[in-house]
Amino acid sequence: MGEKKFRVEQLYQWLWQKGVRNFDEMLNLSKSFREQLKAKFYFQTVQVDSQLCSKDGSIKVSFRLNDGCFVEGVLIPAKDRLTACVSSQVGCGLGCTFCATGAQGFTRNLTVGEITDQYFALNEIARERSGHGVSNIVYMGMGEPLQNYENVMKSIERLTEAKGQAMAPSRITLSTAGIVKFIKQLADDGFACNLAVSLHAGNNGLRTKLMPVNKANDLQKLSEALAYYYEKTHNRISIEYTLLNGVNDSIEHAREMADFTKRFPVKINIIEYNAHENSQFEKSEKQTFEAFVAFLERLNLIVNIRYSKGKDIQGACGQLAKKGIRKSMSFS
């Protein structure tokens, strides 16, 4: 377009550091240049369709995409951080039996812009409501991030690079159901963020019933991939385990899960089950839950209990599905 090279840096800063999605706001560009940009380019952004506020302070946001599809994201407050949970796909094709998103099936992958725009929108909402922005990002919304590998990795690059949001990789967590070939690719690509693996069972028979992805990515293959990942990155892996009443919450199940983790250092996050419409499961009883955790702690494993936030607005882990939000329920 005949402009000097430093314009590239200016544009990039407006787009990825300041999150501007309107050429008229790029005030250090000449008006004539802005008009040329408007004539040649446009912003295909996600639109906030509705918001629901939980009594615990969480906010679930429904995003309308350019093609009329919807995804959801969540702002999750904690004492020392404010986390943005973002989606990577419209729906999900893995069909995990305890997850509302999986029941929707898979529609399509999100673009780099659709992923990062969720963050920018959630960050703006956070600043409006709390006076400070997002401190952490988790790729734990709708979809399996590793099945959208290229776009997810590019979105992380935009959010972590110095010229972008400059977010430390240690503040970003990617959660996966355990797709072996992509876990190995993360290792080979020098993935610097946190990796969380949804396990939910330590034997193949039960895990396959709960998570059909286990058929092609069984526990032996997954263990080998995670050992390879740790050898390459030296990053401790988080294991996510949701306790389902009478299904995977016995001491024997705890022992199987502990055995699975022997090959690499882990942190274990024990999650209470979040029921959703048409759910066939219930959360474990308090005594069973505590016995499961106590057993793991006696093995000197690092165990964190995750009490989910946003349950009252269907915004907790495993509950994200567009039908859970209606405009008539929006809160300002």
Side-chain angles (χ1 to χ4, degrees), residues 266-277:
V266 298
K267 294 183 295 184
I268 299 172
N269 294 325
I270 302 298
I271 305 167
E272 63 174 351
Y273 176 62
N274 304 303
H276 55 83
E277 187 178 357

Side-chain angles (χ1 to χ4, degrees), residues 16 21 111-121 155 158-159:
W16 297 110
R21 297 293 180 264
T111 66
V112 178
E114 288 170 333
I115 296 170
T116 54
D117 260 13
Q118 292 174 74
Y119 160 77
F120 281 111
S155 72
R158 295 288 186 269
L159 295 169

Side-chain angles (χ1 to χ4, degrees), residues 123-168:
N123 193 49
E124 184 176 344
I125 292 170
R127 292 190 182 281
E128 290 173 353
R129 290 179 176 268
S130 67
H132 57 86
V134 165
S135 61
N136 295 67
I137 302 173
V138 292
Y139 285 73
M140 294 184 180
M142 300 170 72
E144 165 55 58
L146 293 187
Q147 288 192 325
N148 189 12
Y149 190 93
E150 183 176 348
N151 288 344
V152 166
M153 292 304 111
K154 285 182 178 178
S155 72
I156 291 174
E157 179 183 344
R158 295 288 186 269
L159 295 169
T160 56
E161 62 189 348
K163 296 177 183 178
Q165 289 296 292
M167 182 170 284

Side-chain angles (χ1 to χ4, degrees), residues 74-76 80-86 119 122 133-139 167-173 194:
V74 187
L75 274 173
I76 309 166
D80 58 347
R81 63 189 181 278
L82 181 57
T83 300
C85 176
V86 300
Y119 160 77
L122 291 170
V134 165
S135 61
N136 295 67
I137 302 173
V138 292
Y139 285 73
M167 182 170 284
S170 61
R171 292 187 174 273
I172 298 176
T173 298
N194 303 306

Side-chain angles (χ1 to χ4, degrees), residues 61-63 65 69-73 87 89-91 110 118 142:
V61 181
S62 174
F63 296 105
L65 309 180
C69 291
F70 290 86
V71 294
E72 293 181 347
S87 294
Q89 296 179 318
V90 179
L110 297 185
Q118 292 174 74
M142 300 170 72

Side-chain angles (χ1 to χ4, degrees), residues 228-281:
Y228 179 79
Y229 174 86
Y230 180 74
E231 180 183 348
K232 285 271 191 172
T233 67
H234 302 292
N235 291 331
R236 186 184 294 271
I237 298 158
S238 293
I239 298 294
E240 311 285 325
Y241 197 103
T242 300
L243 288 177
L244 307 171
N245 187 38
V247 176
N248 66 347
D249 58 354
S250 72
I251 296 302
E252 181 58 30
H253 291 131
R255 182 178 290 109
E256 291 172 343
M257 193 252 285
D259 288 342
F260 175 81
T261 67
K262 287 181 177 179
R263 296 181 64 179
F264 36 81
V266 298
K267 294 183 295 184
I268 299 172
N269 294 325
I270 302 298
I271 305 167
E272 63 174 351
Y273 176 62
N274 304 303
H276 55 83
E277 187 178 357
N278 300 320
S279 173
Q280 60 181 301
F281 301 105

Side-chain angles (χ1 to χ4, degrees), residues 89-105:
Q89 296 179 318
V90 179
C92 182
L94 297 188
C96 297
T97 56
F98 46 81
C99 179
T101 309
Q104 291 186 310

Side-chain angles (χ1 to χ4, degrees), residues 178-298:
I179 302 179
V180 166
K181 68 175 182 178
F182 289 123
I183 290 173
K184 291 180 177 178
Q185 188 171 344
L186 286 175
D188 291 337
D189 290 345
F191 186 64
C193 302
N194 303 306
L195 179 65
V197 178
S198 295
L199 192 69
H200 309 304
N203 71 75
N204 280 315
L206 177 57
R207 191 167 192 265
T208 298
K209 288 180 180 178
L210 295 174
M211 305 173 67
V213 68
N214 194 67
K215 293 177 182 177
N217 302 267
D218 64 44
L219 291 170
Q220 179 62 32
K221 294 176 183 176
L222 181 57
S223 175
E224 291 171 357
L226 293 175
Y228 179 79
Y229 174 86
Y230 180 74
E231 180 183 348
K232 285 271 191 172
T233 67
H234 302 292
N235 291 331
R236 186 184 294 271
I237 298 158
S238 293
I239 298 294
E240 311 285 325
Y241 197 103
T242 300
L243 288 177
L244 307 171
N245 187 38
V247 176
N248 66 347
D249 58 354
S250 72
I251 296 302
E252 181 58 30
H253 291 131
R255 182 178 290 109
E256 291 172 343
M257 193 252 285
D259 288 342
F260 175 81
T261 67
K262 287 181 177 179
R263 296 181 64 179
F264 36 81
V266 298
K267 294 183 295 184
I268 299 172
N269 294 325
I270 302 298
I271 305 167
E272 63 174 351
Y273 176 62
N274 304 303
H276 55 83
E277 187 178 357
N278 300 320
S279 173
Q280 60 181 301
F281 301 105
E282 296 177 350
K283 68 178 183 180
S284 294
E285 295 180 358
K286 185 173 184 290
Q287 185 176 355
T288 304
F289 191 107
E290 292 174 349
F292 193 99
V293 171
F295 176 85
L296 296 174
E297 289 177 336
R298 286 197 295 272

